[in-house]
Each structure stands twice: as C-alpha cells, then as structure tokens.
mmCIF file of all heavy atoms in Angstrom:
data_model
loop_
_atom_site.group_PDB
_atom_site.id
_atom_site.type_symbol
_atom_site.label_atom_id
_atom_site.label_comp_id
_atom_site.label_asym_id
_atom_site.label_seq_id
_atom_site.Cartn_x
_atom_site.Cartn_y
_atom_site.Cartn_z
ATOM 1 N N MET R 15 -31.498 13.393 -7.168
ATOM 2 C CA MET R 15 -31.908 12.005 -7.105
ATOM 3 C C MET R 15 -31.028 11.126 -7.960
ATOM 4 O O MET R 15 -31.333 10.512 -8.906
ATOM 5 C CB MET R 15 -33.344 11.851 -7.574
ATOM 6 C CG MET R 15 -33.974 10.463 -7.372
ATOM 7 S SD MET R 15 -33.937 9.864 -5.734
ATOM 8 C CE MET R 15 -35.301 10.888 -4.976
ATOM 9 N N GLY R 16 -29.728 11.126 -7.519
ATOM 10 C CA GLY R 16 -28.710 10.442 -8.386
ATOM 11 C C GLY R 16 -27.896 11.478 -9.137
ATOM 12 O O GLY R 16 -28.410 12.664 -9.358
ATOM 13 N N LEU R 17 -26.748 11.188 -9.553
ATOM 14 C CA LEU R 17 -25.770 12.112 -10.074
ATOM 15 C C LEU R 17 -25.135 11.668 -11.411
ATOM 16 O O LEU R 17 -24.394 12.424 -12.028
ATOM 17 C CB LEU R 17 -24.640 12.406 -9.112
ATOM 18 C CG LEU R 17 -25.147 13.017 -7.739
ATOM 19 C CD1 LEU R 17 -23.917 13.039 -6.845
ATOM 20 C CD2 LEU R 17 -25.768 14.340 -7.907
ATOM 21 N N GLY R 18 -25.440 10.444 -11.806
ATOM 22 C CA GLY R 18 -24.720 9.883 -13.001
ATOM 23 C C GLY R 18 -24.704 10.685 -14.311
ATOM 24 O O GLY R 18 -23.684 10.689 -14.982
ATOM 25 N N ALA R 19 -25.733 11.376 -14.577
ATOM 26 C CA ALA R 19 -25.916 12.104 -15.770
ATOM 27 C C ALA R 19 -25.969 13.647 -15.580
ATOM 28 O O ALA R 19 -26.235 14.380 -16.516
ATOM 29 C CB ALA R 19 -27.144 11.714 -16.588
ATOM 30 N N VAL R 20 -25.684 14.083 -14.388
ATOM 31 C CA VAL R 20 -25.912 15.484 -14.052
ATOM 32 C C VAL R 20 -24.620 16.305 -14.360
ATOM 33 O O VAL R 20 -23.543 16.080 -13.785
ATOM 34 C CB VAL R 20 -26.288 15.694 -12.581
ATOM 35 C CG1 VAL R 20 -26.506 17.119 -12.257
ATOM 36 C CG2 VAL R 20 -27.526 14.864 -12.287
ATOM 37 N N PRO R 21 -24.634 17.234 -15.309
ATOM 38 C CA PRO R 21 -23.526 17.991 -15.632
ATOM 39 C C PRO R 21 -22.964 18.787 -14.394
ATOM 40 O O PRO R 21 -23.701 19.321 -13.613
ATOM 41 C CB PRO R 21 -24.051 19.007 -16.725
ATOM 42 C CG PRO R 21 -25.177 18.257 -17.297
ATOM 43 C CD PRO R 21 -25.835 17.558 -16.133
ATOM 44 N N GLY R 22 -21.672 18.749 -14.296
ATOM 45 C CA GLY R 22 -21.024 19.496 -13.194
ATOM 46 C C GLY R 22 -20.892 18.746 -11.873
ATOM 47 O O GLY R 22 -20.347 19.229 -10.925
ATOM 48 N N ARG R 23 -21.419 17.568 -11.858
ATOM 49 C CA ARG R 23 -21.498 16.757 -10.581
ATOM 50 C C ARG R 23 -20.652 15.530 -10.761
ATOM 51 O O ARG R 23 -20.804 14.524 -9.988
ATOM 52 C CB ARG R 23 -22.936 16.381 -10.227
ATOM 53 C CG ARG R 23 -23.740 17.686 -9.810
ATOM 54 C CD ARG R 23 -23.268 18.270 -8.542
ATOM 55 N NE ARG R 23 -23.942 17.578 -7.442
ATOM 56 C CZ ARG R 23 -23.384 17.501 -6.229
ATOM 57 N NH1 ARG R 23 -22.223 18.062 -5.971
ATOM 58 N NH2 ARG R 23 -24.060 16.918 -5.225
ATOM 59 N N GLN R 24 -19.707 15.495 -11.777
ATOM 60 C CA GLN R 24 -18.947 14.214 -12.038
ATOM 61 C C GLN R 24 -18.149 13.802 -10.828
ATOM 62 O O GLN R 24 -18.079 12.616 -10.431
ATOM 63 C CB GLN R 24 -18.065 14.410 -13.296
ATOM 64 C CG GLN R 24 -18.789 14.481 -14.538
ATOM 65 C CD GLN R 24 -19.206 15.905 -14.996
ATOM 66 O OE1 GLN R 24 -19.527 16.796 -14.163
ATOM 67 N NE2 GLN R 24 -19.143 16.131 -16.281
ATOM 68 N N ALA R 25 -17.460 14.791 -10.167
ATOM 69 C CA ALA R 25 -16.661 14.487 -9.001
ATOM 70 C C ALA R 25 -17.481 13.863 -7.899
ATOM 71 O O ALA R 25 -17.078 12.926 -7.184
ATOM 72 C CB ALA R 25 -15.902 15.665 -8.551
ATOM 73 N N ALA R 26 -18.648 14.423 -7.634
ATOM 74 C CA ALA R 26 -19.547 13.949 -6.606
ATOM 75 C C ALA R 26 -20.021 12.583 -6.989
ATOM 76 O O ALA R 26 -20.174 11.719 -6.030
ATOM 77 C CB ALA R 26 -20.663 14.879 -6.366
ATOM 78 N N PHE R 27 -20.310 12.325 -8.207
ATOM 79 C CA PHE R 27 -20.726 10.935 -8.593
ATOM 80 C C PHE R 27 -19.644 9.939 -8.281
ATOM 81 O O PHE R 27 -19.944 8.865 -7.678
ATOM 82 C CB PHE R 27 -21.067 10.906 -10.017
ATOM 83 C CG PHE R 27 -21.289 9.441 -10.575
ATOM 84 C CD1 PHE R 27 -22.562 8.806 -10.376
ATOM 85 C CD2 PHE R 27 -20.338 8.815 -11.249
ATOM 86 C CE1 PHE R 27 -22.723 7.510 -10.819
ATOM 87 C CE2 PHE R 27 -20.492 7.486 -11.651
ATOM 88 C CZ PHE R 27 -21.705 6.895 -11.487
ATOM 89 N N ARG R 28 -18.425 10.291 -8.550
ATOM 90 C CA ARG R 28 -17.339 9.383 -8.389
ATOM 91 C C ARG R 28 -17.055 9.207 -6.931
ATOM 92 O O ARG R 28 -16.768 8.046 -6.519
ATOM 93 C CB ARG R 28 -16.135 9.798 -9.130
ATOM 94 C CG ARG R 28 -16.331 9.844 -10.616
ATOM 95 C CD ARG R 28 -15.110 10.278 -11.462
ATOM 96 N NE ARG R 28 -15.480 10.358 -12.838
ATOM 97 C CZ ARG R 28 -14.556 10.324 -13.848
ATOM 98 N NH1 ARG R 28 -13.284 10.190 -13.545
ATOM 99 N NH2 ARG R 28 -14.957 10.329 -15.140
ATOM 100 N N GLU R 29 -17.269 10.181 -6.153
ATOM 101 C CA GLU R 29 -17.061 9.986 -4.645
ATOM 102 C C GLU R 29 -18.198 9.084 -4.136
ATOM 103 O O GLU R 29 -17.918 8.208 -3.282
ATOM 104 C CB GLU R 29 -17.163 11.355 -3.986
ATOM 105 C CG GLU R 29 -15.933 12.256 -4.226
ATOM 106 C CD GLU R 29 -16.201 13.662 -3.572
ATOM 107 O OE1 GLU R 29 -17.214 13.853 -2.929
ATOM 108 O OE2 GLU R 29 -15.327 14.581 -3.873
ATOM 109 N N GLY R 30 -19.359 9.257 -4.695
ATOM 110 C CA GLY R 30 -20.462 8.422 -4.189
ATOM 111 C C GLY R 30 -20.259 7.004 -4.652
ATOM 112 O O GLY R 30 -20.674 6.040 -3.939
ATOM 113 N N LEU R 31 -19.817 6.799 -5.809
ATOM 114 C CA LEU R 31 -19.489 5.500 -6.320
ATOM 115 C C LEU R 31 -18.515 4.762 -5.363
ATOM 116 O O LEU R 31 -18.710 3.559 -5.046
ATOM 117 C CB LEU R 31 -18.882 5.545 -7.726
ATOM 118 C CG LEU R 31 -18.560 4.206 -8.303
ATOM 119 C CD1 LEU R 31 -19.720 3.302 -8.580
ATOM 120 C CD2 LEU R 31 -17.752 4.489 -9.683
ATOM 121 N N GLU R 32 -17.514 5.484 -4.939
ATOM 122 C CA GLU R 32 -16.491 4.910 -4.040
ATOM 123 C C GLU R 32 -17.182 4.395 -2.745
ATOM 124 O O GLU R 32 -16.850 3.367 -2.201
ATOM 125 C CB GLU R 32 -15.354 5.823 -3.782
ATOM 126 C CG GLU R 32 -14.529 6.171 -4.995
ATOM 127 C CD GLU R 32 -13.712 5.013 -5.568
ATOM 128 O OE1 GLU R 32 -13.464 4.041 -4.789
ATOM 129 O OE2 GLU R 32 -13.355 5.029 -6.702
ATOM 130 N N GLN R 33 -18.050 5.285 -2.277
ATOM 131 C CA GLN R 33 -18.775 4.931 -1.049
ATOM 132 C C GLN R 33 -19.659 3.646 -1.241
ATOM 133 O O GLN R 33 -19.659 2.777 -0.425
ATOM 134 C CB GLN R 33 -19.656 6.100 -0.518
ATOM 135 C CG GLN R 33 -20.330 5.803 0.801
ATOM 136 C CD GLN R 33 -21.181 7.039 1.292
ATOM 137 O OE1 GLN R 33 -21.625 7.798 0.449
ATOM 138 N NE2 GLN R 33 -21.458 7.089 2.543
ATOM 139 N N ALA R 34 -20.323 3.663 -2.346
ATOM 140 C CA ALA R 34 -21.208 2.467 -2.696
ATOM 141 C C ALA R 34 -20.385 1.241 -2.799
ATOM 142 O O ALA R 34 -20.849 0.132 -2.328
ATOM 143 C CB ALA R 34 -21.965 2.744 -4.019
ATOM 144 N N VAL R 35 -19.213 1.313 -3.419
ATOM 145 C CA VAL R 35 -18.326 0.108 -3.563
ATOM 146 C C VAL R 35 -17.885 -0.341 -2.202
ATOM 147 O O VAL R 35 -17.870 -1.563 -1.902
ATOM 148 C CB VAL R 35 -17.139 0.439 -4.463
ATOM 149 C CG1 VAL R 35 -16.085 -0.677 -4.398
ATOM 150 C CG2 VAL R 35 -17.690 0.603 -5.935
ATOM 151 N N LEU R 36 -17.548 0.578 -1.328
ATOM 152 C CA LEU R 36 -17.114 0.246 0.027
ATOM 153 C C LEU R 36 -18.258 -0.601 0.742
ATOM 154 O O LEU R 36 -18.015 -1.600 1.378
ATOM 155 C CB LEU R 36 -16.768 1.501 0.832
ATOM 156 C CG LEU R 36 -16.231 1.379 2.214
ATOM 157 C CD1 LEU R 36 -15.362 2.544 2.559
ATOM 158 C CD2 LEU R 36 -17.338 1.287 3.279
ATOM 159 N N TYR R 37 -19.458 -0.059 0.620
ATOM 160 C CA TYR R 37 -20.574 -0.772 1.245
ATOM 161 C C TYR R 37 -20.854 -2.052 0.614
ATOM 162 O O TYR R 37 -21.075 -3.112 1.294
ATOM 163 C CB TYR R 37 -21.910 0.152 1.120
ATOM 164 C CG TYR R 37 -22.052 0.983 2.365
ATOM 165 C CD1 TYR R 37 -21.301 2.210 2.525
ATOM 166 C CD2 TYR R 37 -22.984 0.693 3.349
ATOM 167 C CE1 TYR R 37 -21.448 2.980 3.679
ATOM 168 C CE2 TYR R 37 -23.138 1.494 4.476
ATOM 169 C CZ TYR R 37 -22.418 2.654 4.644
ATOM 170 O OH TYR R 37 -22.525 3.435 5.773
ATOM 171 N N ALA R 38 -20.800 -2.102 -0.764
ATOM 172 C CA ALA R 38 -21.109 -3.427 -1.474
ATOM 173 C C ALA R 38 -20.081 -4.472 -1.070
ATOM 174 O O ALA R 38 -20.486 -5.628 -0.805
ATOM 175 C CB ALA R 38 -21.071 -3.187 -2.936
ATOM 176 N N LYS R 39 -18.843 -4.089 -0.977
ATOM 177 C CA LYS R 39 -17.808 -5.056 -0.482
ATOM 178 C C LYS R 39 -18.032 -5.550 0.909
ATOM 179 O O LYS R 39 -17.996 -6.766 1.146
ATOM 180 C CB LYS R 39 -16.412 -4.514 -0.624
ATOM 181 C CG LYS R 39 -15.933 -4.218 -2.061
ATOM 182 C CD LYS R 39 -14.725 -3.364 -2.116
ATOM 183 C CE LYS R 39 -13.544 -4.086 -1.465
ATOM 184 N NZ LYS R 39 -12.278 -3.241 -1.565
ATOM 185 N N ALA R 40 -18.386 -4.654 1.845
ATOM 186 C CA ALA R 40 -18.620 -5.024 3.185
ATOM 187 C C ALA R 40 -19.859 -5.879 3.333
ATOM 188 O O ALA R 40 -19.931 -6.802 4.211
ATOM 189 C CB ALA R 40 -18.763 -3.811 4.092
ATOM 190 N N LEU R 41 -20.901 -5.620 2.489
ATOM 191 C CA LEU R 41 -22.143 -6.430 2.550
ATOM 192 C C LEU R 41 -22.118 -7.664 1.694
ATOM 193 O O LEU R 41 -23.147 -8.381 1.741
ATOM 194 C CB LEU R 41 -23.264 -5.443 2.135
ATOM 195 C CG LEU R 41 -23.602 -4.248 2.956
ATOM 196 C CD1 LEU R 41 -24.490 -3.251 2.228
ATOM 197 C CD2 LEU R 41 -24.028 -4.597 4.338
#
C-alpha cells in the first residue's frame, strides 16, 4: 500500500513516481 518507506523497493518507488508525474502533467 505504497512503497516510499519500504526497504528494498526503492527502484519500484521511483518507477511509480515517474508514472505519477506523467499522469499529473497530463491531468
């Protein structure tokens, strides 16, 4: 339920952030 503080999931958090930024810009 989110990845920001989850050890070992830093790469996935950053990938998700990029997706969120893409959506935020489009919206």
Side-chain angles (χ1 to χ4, degrees):
M15 185 61 73
L17 301 172
V20 181
R23 297 289 276 153
Q24 289 92 324
F27 170 80
R28 296 182 183 199
E29 290 173 9
L31 176 66
E32 295 294 337
Q33 185 182 21
V35 168
L36 184 152
Y37 269 75
K39 290 170 61 179
L41 297 171

